[in-house]
DNA sequence: ATGCCCCCGGTTCGGGGA
């Protein structure tokens, strides 16, 4: 079973790209971020035509997440618990039946947090990470396969970026950000890519500016975080960076986990 | 030191991204 995450950077601007990727990569479940549309504006027909069920949690203009899946989810929940006043659409959870039972899959878009000295943005990011941890603690107690997939806007370690010095004061790489990410690992979530490879220079995002892609000046910020029950089913991961060279690309590429959920 | 580039809303620029 192939479960992928991809920050699409505007699903309406990228629908041809998305359909081409679905047809070639053929994921069973795709977690999208930054769909940048309200639910009514999501181009669901062209995706349904490829055999996918579509669940969205959008908003006007920016943010927005979605779950595309070949099997219909038994349950869908929208919004990260812990703050009823938070109106940003950054979290959607689906529960899917598999031969071994269920797998719970989340598409999440963690706040960027820049600039760090902004009175609202960085505190919002850190608070969101605390809420995510509280949610994860609760879900981990279920002892189910759980896959928290998405754009975390976190560079976990210096080798997860081309030039750590450039990112030193950035909300994606500040010590507090990295510490919050480590807490997610320490409660029992496994970074699937790092668990399956020792390769260096693995990135999932390359800025549109200054020829970052051509120079491989990237960062690894899109992650699949796994509960122990999901980690035990993990076969391999891949970063599908070839799509970054397509015409009119997203600045992120899909990150894919292959799982064996056969009984 | 700053901007490079891109999407969106809605207008010819600003907000947001990272």
């Amino acid at each position: 079973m192939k479960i992928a995450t991809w920050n699409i950077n505007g699903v309406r601007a990228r629908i041809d790209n998305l359909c081409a990727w679905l047809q070639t990569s053929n994921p069973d479940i795709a977690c999208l971020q930054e769909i940048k549309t309200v639910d009514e504006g999501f181009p669901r027909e062209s995706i349904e035509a490829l055999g996918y069920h579509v669940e969205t949690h959008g908003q006007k203009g920016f943010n927005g997440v979605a779950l595309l899946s070949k099997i219909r989810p038994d349950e869908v929940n929208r919004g990260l618990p812990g703050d009823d006043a938070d109106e940003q659409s950054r979290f959607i959870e689906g529960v899917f039946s598999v031969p071994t039972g269920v797998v719970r899959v989340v598409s999440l878009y963690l706040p960027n947090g820049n600039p760090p000295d902004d009175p609202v943005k960085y505190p919002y990011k850190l608070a969101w990470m605390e809420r995510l941890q509280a949610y994860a603690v609760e879900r981990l107690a279920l002892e189910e396969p759980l896959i928290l997939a998405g754009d975390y806007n976190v560079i976990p370690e210096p080798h997860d970026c081309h030039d750590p010095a450039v990112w030193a004061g950035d909300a994606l790489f500040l010590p507090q950000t990295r510490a919050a990410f480590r807490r997610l690992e320490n409660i029992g979530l496994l970074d699937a890519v790092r668990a399956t490879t020792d390769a260096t220079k693995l990135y999932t995002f390359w800025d549109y500016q200054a020829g970052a892609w051509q120079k491989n000046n990237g960062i690894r910020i899109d992650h699949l975080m796994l509960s122990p029950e999901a980690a035990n089913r993990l076969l391999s991961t891949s970063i599908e960076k070839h799509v970054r060279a397509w015409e009119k690309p997203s600045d992120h590429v899909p990150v894919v986990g292959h799982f064996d959920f056969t009984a």
Side-chain angles (χ1 to χ4, degrees):
Chain A
M1 192 171 189
K2 196 168 171 181
I3 300 177
T5 181
W6 191 15
N7 180 323
I8 192 74
N9 189 18
V11 71
R12 288 178 297 166
R14 217 76 66 197
I15 185 62
D16 292 345
N17 240 330
L18 176 59
C19 288
W21 172 71
L22 289 172
Q23 288 179 280
T24 54
S25 182
N26 200 28
D28 294 285
I29 301 173
C31 304
L32 302 181
Q33 301 87 39
E34 283 207 270
I35 60 174
K36 296 188 178 181
T37 176
V38 293
D39 296 332
E40 298 73 34
F42 194 93
R44 60 168 55 242
E45 289 80 7
S46 43
I47 295 165
E48 286 168 347
L50 299 177
Y52 285 91
H53 182 82
V54 177
E55 295 284 349
T56 64
H57 183 39
Q59 72 179 91
K60 196 173 177 180
F62 56 108
N63 299 331
V65 289
L67 284 172
L68 317 180
S69 55
K70 291 189 175 174
I71 49 173
R72 180 179 287 264
D74 303 325
E75 179 187 336
V76 178
N77 299 301
R78 290 169 175 81
L80 177 63
D83 181 3
D84 293 340
D86 184 359
E87 300 196 338
Q88 298 193 32
S89 298
R90 298 178 173 276
F91 183 100
I92 186 169
E93 173 193 67
V95 182
F96 301 88
S97 292
V98 291
T100 50
V102 299
V103 57
R104 193 177 292 265
V105 180
V106 170
S107 176
L108 68 90
Y109 178 44
L110 206 148
N112 175 306
N114 279 308
D117 57 0
D118 184 278
V120 174
K121 293 185 175 180
Y122 194 53
Y124 174 61
K125 176 176 193 155
L126 293 177
W128 207 94
M129 294 184 83
E130 274 189 41
R131 285 164 59 197
L132 181 62
Q133 183 179 336
Y135 158 85
V137 165
E138 209 170 276
R139 288 293 187 247
L140 284 165
L142 298 175
E143 299 186 359
E144 292 170 349
L146 168 70
I147 301 172
L148 302 183
D151 177 356
Y152 279 71
N153 273 314
V154 175
I155 301 166
E157 299 290 339
H159 64 279
D160 292 314
C161 59
H162 179 260
D163 185 358
V166 167
W167 296 95
D170 194 282
L172 279 64
F173 193 55
L174 280 173
Q176 283 186 82
T177 306
R178 294 176 54 199
F181 187 82
R182 281 198 302 274
R183 285 197 288 275
L184 293 174
E185 297 183 304
N186 292 341
I187 61 171
L189 294 171
L190 183 77
D191 180 342
V193 167
R194 277 296 167 227
T196 49
T197 179
D198 292 323
T200 57
K201 299 180 181 171
L202 286 179
Y203 309 128
T204 65
F205 167 92
W206 296 260
D207 202 294
Y208 289 117
Q209 302 180 70
W213 166 247
Q214 286 76 12
K215 295 181 212 164
N216 197 26
N217 179 9
I219 54 180
R220 193 176 72 90
I221 56 174
D222 300 273
H223 308 298
L224 298 170
M225 304 301 288
L226 311 181
S227 72
E229 292 77 13
N232 287 339
R233 297 279 171 181
L234 178 66
L235 300 173
S236 63
T237 61
S238 49
I239 297 175
E240 303 198 329
K241 64 186 286 188
H242 61 282
V243 305
R244 187 63 178 77
W246 286 358
E247 212 174 308
K248 220 179 156 212
S250 169
D251 38 10
H252 297 249
V253 298
V255 178
V256 180
H258 301 262
F259 297 86
D260 181 359
F261 287 116
T262 58

